[in-house]
Amino acid sequence: RNVLPQFGFAFGAESGELHLGAHDTARLASPLQWFPVDHPEDGYWQVAVRAVRVGNVTVDDCKRGCHGIVDTGVSRLGVQASNLPLLQATLVAALSKRGECHGSLLSFDLGDMVLTLGPQDYTDSNCAPQLGPLSLDESKFAGVYTFGETVLRRYYAAFDWEKRKLGFAPLAGVSAIVKDPPRKPLMGVRGSAVLV
């Protein structure tokens, strides 16, 4: 029998699936995009991240290098402790009158693909960003983010241990990302534009 040296995870709102030796293409909204495992000798399923953005604002340009580590045991988005305050402050979400969270999109640029999360993905029921600090030695680890349940509820993750590659594809049937409501520029102090 032809079994691929791969496995994959598909989380959902209510349940998840583990696929061994193949992938259920019915769960994928588009084909898998494969990336080399970054620093496989470290023992993590991690990919290089080129930039982290909130809306159109780059909060981490990854000039020192950034990595996204897939961790199925993490419910929050893990953020290196030194990067957490800026990201937390930039991810301001508000509760609408209809009870939905509205805020900026959070995106991780992987080069050939961008993993995008809406406020409904990264906030709790009070619209507070659900981020967890990663206390890592800055001299050994720079720009580390953990892609746990927050990312895996929106994206299928595939692992190829023979070729040392990690693949992502949007999950089929996942609700659309709620984008920022349009904001109008107002003139602020000394003529600077402020978005509201």
Side-chain angles (χ1 to χ4, degrees), residues 128-146:
Q130 293 297 289
L131 307 174
L134 299 174
S135 299
L136 302 170
D137 181 353
E138 294 281 334
S139 66
K140 294 180 182 177
F141 298 95
V144 176
Y145 299 87
T146 54

Side-chain angles (χ1 to χ4, degrees), residues 43-168:
Y44 302 111
W45 287 100
Q46 64 183 340
V47 293
V49 176
R50 293 185 179 185
V52 180
R53 295 182 187 88
V54 175
N56 292 326
V57 176
T58 299
V59 293
D60 193 342
D61 61 14
C62 298
K63 286 187 179 176
R64 291 183 42 219
C66 290
H67 304 90
I69 299 173
V70 177
D71 186 343
T72 59
V74 176
S75 61
R76 297 177 179 207
L77 180 68
V79 181
Q80 191 147 2
S82 61
N83 294 342
L84 185 61
L86 176 61
L87 185 57
Q88 189 100 29
T90 310
L91 286 176
V92 176
L95 189 62
S96 74
K97 291 181 182 176
R98 294 180 299 180
E100 297 171 341
C101 290
H102 290 281
S104 295
L105 298 179
L106 172 59
S107 60
F108 297 90
D109 183 348
L110 306 182
D112 291 338
M113 180 180 194
V114 176
L115 301 178
T116 303
L117 303 173
Q120 71 273 25
D121 299 317
Y122 63 76
T123 60
D124 64 12
S125 60
N126 295 316
C127 295
Q130 293 297 289
L131 307 174
L134 299 174
S135 299
L136 302 170
D137 181 353
E138 294 281 334
S139 66
K140 294 180 182 177
F141 298 95
V144 176
Y145 299 87
T146 54
F147 298 159
E149 186 179 334
T150 303
V151 173
L152 299 175
R153 282 190 312 244
R154 184 156 296 282
Y155 293 93
Y156 183 91
F159 307 81
D160 186 320
W161 65 82
E162 190 173 87
K163 294 180 181 175
R164 295 181 174 186
K165 290 189 175 189
L166 185 54
F168 294 100

